[in-house]
Amino acid sequence: MTAAATEIAVRMGEIAVSSNPADVLMSIGLGSCIGLALVDHRRGIAGLAHVMLPEAIAGGGPVGKFADLAVPELIKQVTALGAAKTSLRAVLVGGAQMFALGHSGAMDIGVRNDVEVRAALAKERIPVVAAEVGGSKGRTIRVIPGGSVLSKEAGGAEKELMSTTGAGL
Amino acid sequence: MSTFSTMQLDALRELANIGSGTAGTALSQMLGRSVDISVPNALVLPLAEAVEAVGPPEQAVTGVAIPLAGDMDAVVLLVFPVEDAGSLAAMLGVEPGTEDALSALSEIGNILSASYIGSLGAMTGLELDLTPPQTVTDMLAAIVATVLASRAEGTDTALILDSELRVEGEQCSLSFLLLPEAGGVREILSRMGVEA
């Protein structure tokens, strides 16, 4: 039985997973945040984490907020739905530098988010097949558990980053 | 989640009220028109809900971000829907959507923030300085989330002081937001003598 299709908004610090090919997991307006999609296209299972910051500090909020905690948690949730860890492919969207708001000398949050998400994925041996990161523009990510991952920049056209065959584009 | 008492929220709302009143007067003098100022909100929200409380996530807006330096860590953020940014530029005699329009909006942001922050400093005795404005046009969610992320490390809660200013007789409104870091809020409250 297939559940009804829904658009699932994944807001700051949240994680969502789905095995319904008609669902759309989406994070609207990623700035310095990273939308991390993990897809097992063969089994039609995908998840999306909306990561805000690179490293967790105690009592800092939900696990989805921090790259180092969000990656293992997202893996746990997609494999609990039936995904095989060895089949997982990652797509990253976001990590823009929209403002220079950091304290002087600190590396930009968008850049650090990208670095930490990739490091956490490497530790789990999950390949990144496509990424649309950096720059200065906000982006929206849409993840369809059937296999496709789409990214759209503010004022731009929607781009396909992962096709239904599971390959990076 | 960190929480604030009703009395503390009232005190913060009152600060925002006086700050936005001063900013509204400055805007009115600059344009030679009447400016309406809404009753401000003091929003305490889980981070996940903070963006939608400010506006529709996908809306195209121009944001002017002004980080504060001095006794309190906070960012001032002015949010103009793009059409409203355009009508404000036109009122100032610059072509909407151009580099000149963006620098005019940055300057408006600077002047309004100086008024707001000046009155906040006068009330609390905090030494507060503005750093140069940074202006971008993008999706509302990307702008608000990026500013929140820069001060969100140790908290899952966003505190937003939100005031709306509207130029009478024009399609021109803006949100004036003050986003203090958690320690900054405690500092303001203790200066006002409203401890938990």
Side-chain angles (χ1 to χ4, degrees):
Chain A
M1 200 185 81
T2 317
T6 1
E7 235 176 37
I8 301 162
V10 182
R11 304 170 305 174
M12 281 190 289
E14 293 184 330
I15 288 178
V17 293
S18 171
S19 57
N20 182 346
D23 279 350
V24 181
L25 310 175
M26 58 189 291
S27 293
I28 298 171
L30 296 160
S32 61
C33 295
I34 297 239
L36 165 64
L38 287 185
V39 182
D40 177 344
H41 93 275
R42 226 152 45 91
R43 295 175 183 80
I45 294 166
L48 176 62
H50 187 150
V51 176
M52 263 182 106
L53 292 169
E55 276 174 284
I57 60 165
V63 288
K65 182 175 159 187
F66 301 102
D68 54 348
L69 301 182
V71 169
E73 177 62 25
L74 183 59
I75 294 169
K76 199 174 101 191
Q77 292 194 21
V78 287
T79 51
L81 258 192
K85 191 175 169 190
T86 50
S87 302
L88 290 174
R89 299 291 177 268
V91 177
L92 275 60
V93 171
Q97 179 170 12
M98 308 191 57
F99 301 104
L101 298 173
H103 302 287
S104 59
M107 206 204 291
D108 180 66
I109 290 178
V111 175
R112 284 167 58 212
N113 280 339
D114 183 33
V115 168
E116 289 302 324
V117 168
R118 285 175 194 269
L121 288 168
K123 217 159 108 186
E124 304 279 356
R125 300 174 184 281
I126 293 172
V128 176
V129 293
E132 189 75 12
V133 293
S136 61
K137 282 277 174 199
R139 299 177 178 95
T140 292
I141 183 172
R142 285 173 220 276
V143 182
I144 300 155
S148 70
V149 178
L150 305 153
S151 162
K152 186 180 181 299
E153 249 181 32
E158 190 151 63
K159 244 197 222 179
E160 197 168 22
L161 297 180
M162 182 193 253
S163 76
T164 44
T165 64
L169 294 172
Chain B
M1 191 168 130
S2 41
T3 51
F4 297 95
S5 67
T6 313
M7 204 174 132
Q8 290 177 320
L9 289 176
D10 283 345
L12 293 170
R13 207 174 290 121
E14 185 53 22
L15 276 183
N17 202 15
I18 295 167
S20 57
T22 321
T25 306
L27 183 62
S28 172
Q29 282 168 353
M30 233 175 331
L31 299 173
R33 294 168 196 246
S34 301
V35 172
D36 295 329
I37 304 148
S38 72
V39 177
N41 287 315
L43 305 166
V44 181
L45 299 161
L47 285 169
E49 290 166 25
V51 167
E52 277 155 319
V54 175
E58 216 154 10
Q59 187 183 21
V61 300
T62 297
V64 182
I66 302 178
L68 301 184
D71 289 343
M72 179 179 73
D73 189 11
V75 180
V76 170
L77 179 62
L78 288 88
V79 179
F80 307 81
V82 279
E83 299 81 16
D84 300 52
S87 44
L88 183 55
M91 275 182 261
L92 294 165
V94 289
E95 180 85 11
T98 59
E99 277 298 311
D100 283 356
L102 283 186
S103 56
L105 290 175
S106 301
E107 192 46 34
I108 291 275
N110 223 355
I111 294 167
L112 299 192
S113 304
S115 315
Y116 186 112
I117 296 306
S119 65
L120 206 157
M123 277 184 289
T124 57
L126 293 170
E127 288 275 347
L128 302 169
D129 298 312
L130 307 183
T131 65
Q134 304 178 39
T135 304
V136 299
T137 299
D138 210 297
M139 286 178 269
L140 178 133
I143 290 176
V144 175
T146 300
V147 172
L148 285 171
S150 72
R151 299 291 182 275
E153 195 157 38
T155 176
D156 57 354
T157 308
L159 170 69
I160 303 176
L161 302 182
D162 179 2
S163 314
E164 302 288 322
L165 305 181
R166 184 178 298 278
V167 180
E168 265 181 26
E170 298 281 343
Q171 196 211 328
C172 179
S173 63
L174 69 106
S175 304
F176 188 107
L177 309 174
L178 180 66
L179 306 137
E181 184 263 335
V185 184
R186 283 192 292 273
E187 185 62 39
I188 298 181
L189 290 169
S190 86
R191 292 289 180 116
M192 294 176 79
V194 227
E195 314 268 356

